[in-house]
Amino acid sequence: MRSKGKHIRLLYIPLVLTFAALSAVGTYAAQSTADRAQLRDTAGQYDVIERELHPGRYTGSKSIQADTLWHPDILEGYEAVSVNLGKSFDGPVSCTVVRRMASVPTNKAVLYVHGFNDYFFQSEMGELFNGQGINFYAVDLRRYGRSLRPWQYPFNVRDFKEYFEDIDAALRIIRADGNSDITLSGHSTGGLTVSLYAAMRGSGCGVRRVVTDSPFLEWNFNAFYRRCLIPAVTLFGAISPDTKIPQGDCDAYSHSLLRQYHGEWEYNTDWKMVVSPPVTASWIRAVSRAQSKVMRHGRNITVPVLVMHSSTGTQTCGWTPECMEADVVLNPADIQKRGQKLGRNPVVTAIDSGMHDLILSRPEVRSAAYDTIFRFIARH
């Protein structure tokens, strides 16, 4: 009996360590009460995070109607179509494909996949690709932006391979439009997603090249968090996938982007929030597993790969002028190191003084990023 009791007590150890990890991850990202109060006053969005999001309280109908025709998008000059992707763990899901066609007929196209706490809003991107004679497409993934439904928790995911259905749907549309030379592009978690897609599909990925902008290939934590706490939370994500983990109150990045603060962009802050809401334990699990798979299978990518990242990184929670010329989300050194494992001869390039999203950086920086992309496409 004593032996049995001892074994039962031993079973509690992993659970205790995991709950400690959950607490530590939340603490790592948190700010002081004074900073939280200031953020409410300055950002005007913290109340959304404070009351949190409760899609479980939604009692309306859960149904998605797919579009049969393109319709005007929320961005001027763009069209959009919604694609029904069937049912997932939280009910019906869909993705939204947005397009802007080049003025001259072409068989060249690019598909852009956004990052975390994000959606496609930067209309300049499509215009510039069109100027290069390339048809432009973007996809708002399930539970993001145009595709978010009231019964869904934003950004939630169990496995990044879920997004393969979204990419497949977008690629079918792109091919139906007569495009055969396709570039698959992604930023941050979108860069992780397209890298995983190309690695797992291998020679059957169906695109000519992959372009990534600051891909999320590694957590920007210290060694202890990476080796101990993140694996513990990853394990917990399989047991309690919907447990919420705070991301802190940091607004440095959003204040670097939004025109109302220090940036030059305007977007829907209900879809791309000033402060990230808590993420689910399953999201952390999905990210970690996707990163591991990409590192294990990265050499399976058979098409040319471009990996771009900022030349500089910095860690700060509140905005400073330095935020305008550095990656405040990921560590460029990690991207540089891990990016070398994508494909057989990847082109890994640092863009001087870029922000996390290089194409949202100041004009001369994003011009260098676009020039790098267009030269890569032309060369490959």
Side-chain angles (χ1 to χ4, degrees):
M1 291 297 292
R2 266 184 260 174
S3 176
K4 182 178 179 181
K6 180 180 179 181
H7 288 311
I8 291 175
R9 286 194 299 274
L10 288 174
L11 290 176
Y12 291 144
I13 294 176
L15 293 177
V16 171
L17 291 175
T18 300
F19 280 113
L22 290 169
S23 176
V25 170
T27 302
Y28 184 88
Q31 281 184 293
S32 68
T33 303
D35 288 339
R36 290 163 66 102
Q38 182 182 10
L39 181 59
R40 291 190 200 98
D41 294 338
T42 58
Q45 288 293 322
Y46 187 73
D47 60 329
V48 175
I49 311 304
E50 187 85 319
R51 67 174 180 264
E52 209 173 314
L53 303 157
H54 298 283
R57 297 176 183 174
Y58 175 75
T59 58
S61 172
K62 292 184 179 181
S63 63
I64 290 177
Q65 181 175 348
D67 294 327
T68 56
L69 298 173
W70 291 95
H71 57 79
D73 185 50
I74 56 176
L75 297 178
E76 185 176 355
Y78 286 80
E79 301 174 291
V81 64
S82 176
V83 181
N84 189 334
L85 298 172
K87 287 190 176 182
S88 186
F89 59 86
D90 56 354
V93 290
S94 67
C95 69
T96 308
V97 180
V98 181
R99 75 178 181 184
R100 193 180 195 278
M101 307 298 279
S103 58
V104 178
T106 176
N107 71 332
K108 296 181 178 179
V110 61
L111 173 62
Y112 172 74
V113 182
H114 58 78
F116 169 74
N117 187 22
D118 203 0
Y119 72 103
F120 174 65
F121 65 89
Q122 50 274 46
S123 59
E124 175 189 74
M125 186 188 292
E127 296 167 7
L128 291 174
F129 272 96
N130 287 171
Q132 295 292 316
I134 301 172
N135 293 322
F136 178 84
Y137 297 80
V139 58
D140 275 12
L141 299 170
R142 59 186 68 193
R143 308 183 191 93
Y144 280 91
R146 299 166 179 82
S147 307
L148 181 63
R149 298 295 182 264
W151 59 86
Q152 298 169 343
Y153 191 82
F155 329 135
N156 197 12
V157 68
R158 296 284 194 267
D159 190 317
F160 267 56
K161 289 175 68 176
E162 293 175 39
Y163 297 137
F164 288 10
E165 294 182 9
D166 307 50
I167 294 174
D168 285 339
L171 289 177
R172 283 194 296 270
I173 291 172
I174 293 172
R175 294 190 187 102
D177 282 346
N179 299 288
S180 56
D181 183 338
I182 303 171
T183 300
L184 182 58
S185 173
H187 162 62
S188 197
T189 52
L192 172 61
T193 301
V194 300
S195 298
L196 180 66
Y197 182 90
M200 302 309 291
R201 293 292 176 85
S203 59
C205 67
V207 300
R208 294 281 183 89
R209 61 198 71 80
V210 171
V211 170
T212 63
D213 170 358
S214 304
F216 188 13
L217 302 177
E218 176 63 287
W219 294 98
N220 189 13
F221 290 142
N222 60 39
F224 176 69
Y225 274 75
R226 291 178 181 178
R227 297 172 185 172
C228 300
L229 297 187
I230 291 298
V233 177
T234 297
L235 174 63
F236 187 78
I239 302 170
S240 183
D242 292 323
T243 295
K244 305 298 190 302
I245 301 175
Q247 296 298 288
D249 306 331
C250 297
D251 60 6
Y253 185 50
S254 60
H255 280 210
S256 302
L257 300 180
L258 282 164
R259 180 174 295 172
Q260 68 194 85
Y261 301 112
H262 307 281
E264 59 179 285
W265 304 95
E266 294 180 354
Y267 48 78
N268 185 337
T269 52
D270 288 334
W271 291 348
K272 184 176 175 66
M273 302 176 199
V274 173
V275 179
S276 169
V279 295
T280 60
S282 69
W283 182 85
I284 291 180
R285 174 180 172 81
V287 170
S288 294
R289 296 180 73 196
Q291 290 172 340
S292 296
K293 288 179 181 178
V294 166
M295 290 300 97
R296 287 199 308 270
H297 304 290
R299 299 302 184 195
N300 291 345
I301 301 177
T302 59
V303 298
V305 180
L306 172 64
V307 179
M308 300 186 301
H309 59 82
S310 175
S311 61
T312 308
T314 186
Q315 288 191 333
T316 181
C317 208
W319 186 88
T320 66
E322 186 182 12
C323 296
M324 303 303 294
E325 53 187 29
D327 191 330
V328 301
V329 179
L330 300 180
N331 185 342
D334 291 334
I335 302 174
Q336 171 73 26
K337 180 180 179 180
R338 291 201 158 202
Q340 298 288 348
K341 298 181 180 181
L342 300 182
R344 296 169 185 177
N345 189 26
V347 178
V348 184
T349 304
I351 303 298
D352 188 35
S353 302
M355 292 195 294
H356 176 54
D357 193 336
L358 298 167
I359 58 171
L360 298 183
S361 303
R362 63 177 186 262
E364 63 270 28
V365 175
R366 65 179 184 266
S367 177
Y370 277 120
D371 184 63
T372 301
I373 293 171
F374 296 143
R375 287 178 181 272
F376 176 80
I377 292 175
R379 191 181 307 118
H380 299 89

